[in-house]
Amino acid sequence: LFCWTIQSFLHSAEKKPPLLPRLFSHARGMRKKLIAGNWKMFKKIGEAQSLIKEIAQGAGDLGGVELLVCPPYTALNAASEARKGTQIKVGAQDLHWEEQGAFTGKISWDMIRDTGAEYVIIGHSEQRSYFHETDDTVNKKTKTALKGGLVPVICVGETLAERDGNRTMDVVSTQTKKAFEGITKEDATKCVIAYEPVWAIGTGRNATPEQAQEVHAGIRALIQSLYDASVAEGMRILYGGSMKPDNAKSLLTQKDIDGGLIGGASLKADSFLAIARAGL
Ligand code: PGA
């Protein structure tokens, strides 16, 4: 029994990071900003490799933020190779909730892991509006990503009609609650949330820092009510929707904005790096 106890203690010590840094990273103000590029349906293999090289070359002073790029599936493996030896991480833009099967056109967590990618965007508004993503499929995908060891970046956000109808927090709360349904506290600490008002995506019209901060604070309060204060304080909540070098600083200095999910401005190294620098 003694041996078994020691062994299981060592085993669990191996798997979990030491307690102190864990507590520290969850303390207020200690959330490392995550600057994530959502490349959508842009960049072929060679272009992805060049962009990663360019980002890496310009990222010398960016050790204080985490950099993530999410290329299309076809470039995931090449991107994972190109990022080796750099601080850049790679993520996919979606996944299926099953591990394998007759699901033409889909790819699984296992295949994503196989490319070397470590993150996955789930529930992006384009996925919700064009490809029948629902709160239920977002929940299934989140569970699968966590089981497979991928970090889910869960997207939520209201449409313009919903904002105009004063339903923003209702909509975002429902999406967030459903995404986290059945997810344990330990798994919740591994997730990232991206608040992306649909009316701000690709429109050049970003939420004001105050509008974004208000929703981010609401999401954090909701996470606290679903779990506890330490999960809420540790949760990284990114803003997405026309984030650009000239508005990044005012957004990223808000108390509850912990990074950005960037579409258009992530397709060029200069603008992506300028946004990342605003997060320092
Ligand atoms: P945008 O896209 O920065 O081009 O508005 C953001 C996103 O869709 O994640």
Side-chain angles (χ1 to χ4, degrees):
L1 179 70
F2 179 69
C3 276
W4 177 84
T5 312
I6 293 281
Q7 251 182 5
S8 61
F9 171 75
L10 286 178
H11 184 64
S12 67
E14 242 171 53
K15 285 172 97 177
K16 287 181 191 148
L19 186 62
L20 258 186
R22 250 200 295 157
L23 289 179
F24 260 111
S25 67
H26 284 189
R28 186 182 284 268
M30 295 297 288
R31 298 182 292 267
K32 193 172 188 177
K33 291 217 163 47
L34 173 60
I35 307 296
N38 173 9
W39 292 0
K40 308 193 179 185
M41 202 169 72
F42 295 98
K43 305 292 176 191
K44 293 184 280 184
I45 293 170
E47 294 165 332
Q49 288 165 323
S50 315
L51 181 51
I52 287 177
K53 225 173 266 167
E54 252 188 280
I55 295 170
Q57 276 162 3
D61 59 332
L62 293 175
V65 294
E66 201 175 321
L67 298 177
L68 170 67
V69 296
C70 300
Y73 296 140
T74 49
L76 279 180
N77 185 235
S80 294
E81 290 297 316
R83 62 139 289 229
K84 282 193 177 145
T86 77
Q87 69 174 103
I88 302 164
K89 299 198 170 133
V90 173
Q93 297 173 19
D94 188 26
L95 82 169
H96 194 276
W97 56 84
E98 295 289 346
E99 181 168 327
Q100 55 181 18
F103 299 105
T104 303
K106 299 296 169 211
I107 86 167
S108 73
W109 67 266
D110 202 20
M111 294 162 185
I112 293 170
R113 284 287 300 268
D114 198 36
T115 68
E118 298 169 282
Y119 286 68
V120 61
I121 297 172
I122 296 174
H124 189 278
S125 77
E126 285 148 18
Q127 198 55 42
R128 291 180 191 258
S129 60
Y130 306 143
F131 304 110
H132 316 293
E133 186 88 277
T134 63
D135 289 336
D136 182 48
T137 59
V138 168
N139 179 247
K140 284 190 195 161
K141 289 176 179 184
T142 303
K143 285 178 176 158
T144 299
L146 287 162
K147 206 164 123 215
L150 289 164
V151 177
V153 179
I154 304 159
C155 303
V156 296
E158 83 288 3
T159 62
L160 190 56
E162 288 162 345
R163 174 160 284 268
D164 288 344
N166 281 328
R167 291 175 45 223
T168 299
M169 218 44 237
D170 262 7
V171 170
V172 169
S173 298
T174 303
Q175 289 171 337
T176 309
K177 254 189 240 162
K178 295 241 170 100
F180 281 89
E181 216 164 75
I183 287 170
T184 63
K185 178 175 153 179
E186 198 193 339
D187 273 346
T189 63
K190 298 172 190 153
C191 297
V192 174
I193 297 173
Y195 167 57
E196 300 204 300
V198 178
W199 49 272
I201 295 176
T203 58
R205 177 183 166 196
N206 63 289
T208 65
E210 296 71 27
Q211 284 174 325
Q213 165 59 27
E214 191 186 5
V215 180
H216 281 234
I219 295 172
R220 199 176 304 288
L222 174 67
I223 294 294
Q224 174 156 348
S225 75
L226 294 176
Y227 298 97
D228 61 26
S230 91
V231 177
E233 286 303 328
M235 180 72 67
R236 284 186 296 181
I237 307 174
L238 317 183
Y239 168 80
S242 299
M243 192 183 263
K244 308 274 182 233
D246 62 357
N247 61 25
K249 188 105 205 165
S250 61
L251 288 158
L252 293 171
T253 47
Q254 296 298 313
K255 182 170 151 287
D256 289 293
I257 301 187
D258 309 309
L261 182 56
I262 301 129
S266 73
L267 298 173
K268 289 211 166 83
D270 283 358
S271 43
F272 185 62
L273 288 165
I275 293 173
R277 215 156 274 128
L280 283 173

